[in-house]
Amino acid sequence: MSNVNTSKSGMSTQHQRRQSMPVQSPPPPISTNVHPTIIATPPSATTGSGLFGSRISNRHPMMLHSGESPKRLGWLDGLLAFIPRRRRQIRYPVVLCLGLYVLIVYLYFQDVTTLTTVTGFKFKNWAFNMEVNRCSYRKDPMLFVKDSNSVLVIWEMNCVLPDMDLTWIPVSDISSVSTNEEPRATVTTIDSIDRSHVVYTATLAGIPTVNTNITYSLNPPKSKSHLFRTYTFAHLPNPPSFDNREIARFGAIADNQCETTQFYKVLKAMTEHHKVDYLIHAGDAVQEYDSLDNWQTDFASPLSHFMIGQTTPLIYAHGNHDYDPAGLYHYTGRRTWHAYTVAGIRFIVLDSNLESMLQDRWLEEELKSEESRKAWFRVIVVHISPYIQYWEKDAWVNKGERKWGAFVRTKYVPLFQQHNVDLVISGHQHNYMRGQDDHMVYTIIGGAGGNLDTEQVEDYPVWREGKIKIRHHYVLMKITGDRRLIWEAYDAECGSRLDAFVLHSRTIE
């Protein structure tokens, strides 16, 4: 009983203590008028650190989902709006991944070799402009047919070498020099455009009138012996002497301006599938005549890369984009109209930029000449075709450019018809066309690089029975011993043959 009483008395004491404790009042209601505590932003949150500096903001954790992005990155926020805001901190890696994906897709559709080579052209030109290269060749030699027995050689360096000269010699075989001939010297002229553009010009005159190979050498001073160069090209002034046998192959292109990458592809396709002895260029090698960079990257470098300029003489007609009002023509020679015989063809090159009575009289006399009348074929190379059919409609109608073709058509076509011209090769229009008027064939080969013309502005009857191809292309023209001219046009992208025809000589022996 005592135990029970003791327990009860203890409980009573504990109850008394609880009653004696002060009664706590309930907590006050939560106030909504609270001023937040500002947490200082560490410097790295705004300035950034590491490899990319401020371009990648390492924000404070409390600021990842608040505040506005810097204004300079507003376009990036708009681009990445599809990413939830809670994950916006990963936007830069996402952009990097997207950029790499686009690059991979682009390279998939591009020839990586082409891209890197063209980039190399640009870098080489930049290095010369910055004058970081020692004395060397800026442009390798380029050959231009001057007449039946003369070839013009033009090269460019970034230094002046007064003692540099050029010698040449006929050879019976490409691998061996004839012991009966001594190297022939030429007169070399030097024209300094500026400190890094020094143009050298020499003429190989008095070349033998027989079909042979010519080896020429660029001879620098002894102190610059590493600049010595030697090349060989074919000289074929006469027609073939064997029936059914090819004696000469001519590549033909025009209008490669603006698009170095496409021009590279055209040259690559041509050189991989065919060996040509001469290259016909119907004008517009560059977009801007005054641009020294254009002449380097868009014309000289691609030709040199495929060893065309150094070993393949050019039959060159000037276009409206490579027309020099001053008449200097540093890189193509000052003669803009001329004629010569190659492999039985009488080539007559005209300048469609000039309304010149001197050129008109010369053309009439040339067509009457014995060389022209006895040639197997008479071929005109003129940049602007008499029958331009595809062009920009606004320029054609409102800017007077329809007059260009009319000028050639009214002034020269009657002479072509009167003197039995067989073939007219033109450019200017950026696509391929072939037509015929009686016995004379007209061709347009302006597909070596420039953006293709797809808008028709005229409908000339001369083209109605011919061929029209809106493709980048090149042409292979062959001469055989049985007096045939074989013409083949090829697609530069896939290599398929776009067109072909054969001309038989109308010249009476």
Side-chain angles (χ1 to χ4, degrees), residues 234-500:
H235 175 63
L236 307 170
N238 299 317
S241 56
F242 301 98
D243 290 344
N244 300 317
R245 181 175 176 180
E246 295 178 10
I247 187 61
R249 287 189 169 199
F250 301 83
I253 57 174
D255 296 88
N256 57 276
Q257 82 270 28
C258 299
E259 294 292 339
T260 308
T261 300
Q262 187 60 53
F263 183 40
Y264 178 91
K265 293 179 180 179
V266 170
L267 294 179
K268 182 179 180 181
M270 183 175 66
T271 54
E272 282 183 348
H273 297 93
H274 311 284
K275 171 69 171 66
V276 297
D277 302 299
Y278 293 85
L279 181 64
I280 301 168
H281 197 299
D284 278 3
V286 295
Q287 178 67 14
E288 299 176 5
Y289 177 82
D290 293 336
S291 173
L292 299 178
D293 292 341
N294 278 186
W295 283 105
Q296 181 69 53
T297 60
D298 298 1
F299 183 60
S301 291
L303 290 178
S304 297
H305 180 80
F306 293 101
M307 293 293 291
I308 295 176
Q310 306 95 310
T311 61
T312 308
L314 272 70
I315 298 171
Y316 192 92
H318 291 87
N320 54 298
H321 283 285
D322 44 23
Y323 167 65
D324 182 6
L328 299 178
Y329 294 107
H330 296 290
Y331 301 122
T332 55
R334 296 188 178 185
R335 294 182 59 180
T336 60
W337 69 80
H338 37 83
Y340 31 77
T341 301
V342 179
I345 302 176
R346 188 65 176 177
F347 284 99
I348 302 173
V349 179
L350 300 177
D351 189 345
S352 55
N353 298 296
L354 300 178
E355 188 172 358
S356 168
M357 292 298 298
L358 185 61
Q359 181 178 216
D360 299 344
R361 289 194 297 268
W362 172 85
L363 174 61
E364 188 169 4
E365 292 299 321
E366 167 57 36
L367 290 171
K368 293 178 181 178
S369 68
E370 184 177 2
E371 292 86 353
S372 181
R373 290 186 293 104
K374 289 187 175 181
W376 285 7
F377 301 97
R378 287 152 292 279
V379 175
I380 303 291
V381 184
V382 58
H383 177 66
I384 297 180
S385 171
Y387 302 103
I388 295 293
Q389 186 153 303
Y390 286 81
W391 203 247
E392 297 177 8
K393 185 165 291 185
D394 178 64
W396 189 257
V397 175
N398 300 322
K399 298 181 181 179
E401 295 187 9
R402 68 193 316 163
K403 297 179 181 178
W404 296 354
F407 165 75
V408 178
R409 185 168 62 252
T410 57
K411 185 174 285 289
Y412 297 133
V413 167
L415 288 174
F416 298 165
Q417 295 171 337
Q418 179 182 351
H419 296 283
N420 297 319
V421 168
D422 298 285
L423 176 63
V424 179
I425 302 174
S426 301
H428 193 59
Q429 176 181 300
H430 296 183
N431 52 36
Y432 175 82
M433 296 187 73
R434 187 255 301 169
Q436 190 165 349
D437 180 13
D438 196 11
H439 295 288
M440 185 162 45
V441 176
Y442 292 93
T443 60
I444 294 178
I445 59 169
N451 294 330
L452 297 172
D453 289 320
T454 59
E455 191 173 3
Q456 185 171 344
V457 293
E458 297 287 352
D459 185 17
Y460 293 112
V462 68
W463 305 117
R464 291 176 185 171
E465 301 298 325
K467 186 80 70 172
I468 301 173
K469 293 292 183 180
I470 314 296
R471 301 289 295 175
H472 289 108
H473 62 276
Y474 65 91
V475 170
L476 179 67
M477 189 174 74
K478 299 177 284 188
I479 303 299
T480 63
D482 54 356
R483 299 160 63 91
R484 290 184 302 154
L485 185 154
I486 303 173
W487 176 281
E488 297 172 336
Y490 290 91
D491 190 312
E493 295 291 342
C494 62
S496 62
R497 192 167 67 178
L498 300 176
D499 187 30

Side-chain angles (χ1 to χ4, degrees), residues 25-47:
S25 60
I30 297 175
S31 174
T32 57
N33 187 19
V34 178
H35 297 283
T37 302
I38 304 300
I39 301 176
T41 303
S44 61
T46 56
T47 60

Side-chain angles (χ1 to χ4, degrees), residues 212-227:
T212 186
N213 295 311
I214 303 296
T215 294
Y216 68 98
S217 301
L218 304 180
N219 307 302
K222 291 183 179 180
S223 60
K224 304 287 186 182
S225 59
H226 63 281
L227 298 176

